[in-house]
Amino acid sequence: MPKIVNKDEKIDYICDEAYKVFVEIGIDDFSLNKFITDINMSKGQFYHYFSTKEQLIYQVMSKKSFEIMNNIKEKYKYEESYMYKINLIFEIYLNEEKSFSDLKKLYINTFLMYLTSSNDKIKVFNNSIYKNIFDSLEQIFDDEIQKGNFHPDSKKLVKSFFARANGMFLLSVKIENYDLKTQLINYCLEIEKLSKIN
């Protein structure tokens, strides 16, 4: 009797194995043919799940991104202070643990590919990531306003806050030794000062 293969489990397995290779050697040096051989799969089997190398990269990155985001959302429920919540939202930029630094390195590797992609799935993925971060920032400001910590007009700062944080990330990609963590934390503290009711 032929073995029944669970498609979702197989896709998860391929993505997890690909992620390990991406982290180890980088996306630029990733060889799809070698990878297919290393996971003991025929090309026909692989192409049953992924039609291109780019689709595999997208699937791996979206899977890891949503895992991180769901983990952050879970921790977020138990945090009260502005700075703790900000640290969670920008954990991918601020957390120096290996799992986060590995993923950040891959974000940088795929940044240009995602930015210029005409693929509708990738556009939706980009929009959902940015929308999640923006909505979370707005919620932090709403919470602080409701608690009486921030003045009501402070919510207008969310758009510039979001844009500035993304700009800092871009600078960290372009400028060697740019201290993203320090710059972002200092900016978060500035925004807190501007927003607080004196």
Side-chain angles (χ1 to χ4, degrees), residues 27-190:
I27 287 172
D28 290 341
D29 294 324
F30 177 79
S31 162
L32 186 56
N33 288 335
K34 184 179 183 316
F35 173 70
I36 291 169
T37 302
D38 288 348
I39 60 170
N40 298 317
M41 189 175 275
S42 72
K43 284 186 180 181
Q45 285 175 305
F46 177 84
Y47 287 117
H48 176 69
Y49 300 107
F50 300 97
S51 56
T52 64
K53 177 180 168 178
E54 286 68 30
Q55 189 189 22
L56 172 64
I57 293 167
Y58 156 74
Q59 188 73 30
V60 169
M61 294 306 293
S62 59
K63 180 178 185 291
K64 283 294 171 186
S65 297
F66 285 114
E67 279 174 12
I68 293 271
M69 279 168 42
N70 289 334
N71 187 33
I72 287 169
K73 280 180 182 173
E74 192 55 37
K75 289 194 272 187
Y76 188 93
K77 293 178 194 172
Y78 306 102
E79 296 297 351
E80 285 296 319
S81 84
Y82 161 83
M83 273 310 287
Y84 279 126
K85 287 179 179 178
I86 290 292
N87 273 286
L88 279 176
I89 288 173
F90 293 110
E91 194 163 22
I92 190 64
Y93 297 166
L94 301 173
N95 193 319
E96 291 170 346
E97 289 172 20
K98 186 172 178 350
S99 59
F100 285 91
S101 60
D102 286 344
L103 188 57
K104 185 165 71 175
K105 183 173 73 176
L106 295 179
Y107 275 142
I108 291 166
N109 264 193
T110 57
F111 180 76
L112 193 59
M113 183 178 87
Y114 278 14
L115 190 68
T116 59
S117 177
S118 58
N119 182 303
D120 287 338
K121 273 189 171 181
I122 291 177
K123 286 179 181 175
V124 168
F125 167 72
N126 281 341
N127 287 339
S128 66
I129 291 283
Y130 285 118
K131 186 175 185 322
N132 265 302
I133 296 169
F134 187 77
D135 289 350
S136 298
L137 278 175
E138 282 204 316
Q139 187 60 56
I140 289 175
F141 277 74
D142 283 339
D143 292 346
E144 293 300 311
I145 290 164
Q146 194 172 14
K147 286 189 243 178
N149 295 335
F150 286 5
H151 54 80
D153 284 346
S154 66
K155 195 168 174 186
K156 292 175 185 171
L157 295 170
V158 173
K159 282 183 184 170
S160 59
F161 189 166
F162 185 53
R164 183 78 177 265
N166 284 315
M168 287 178 179
F169 177 67
L170 283 179
L171 283 174
S172 75
V173 172
K174 292 182 77 82
I175 299 172
E176 197 175 340
N177 300 321
Y178 181 85
D179 189 347
L180 176 60
K181 183 175 182 176
T182 301
Q183 294 295 329
L184 186 52
I185 287 173
N186 287 342
Y187 184 64
C188 293
L189 291 169
E190 271 181 53

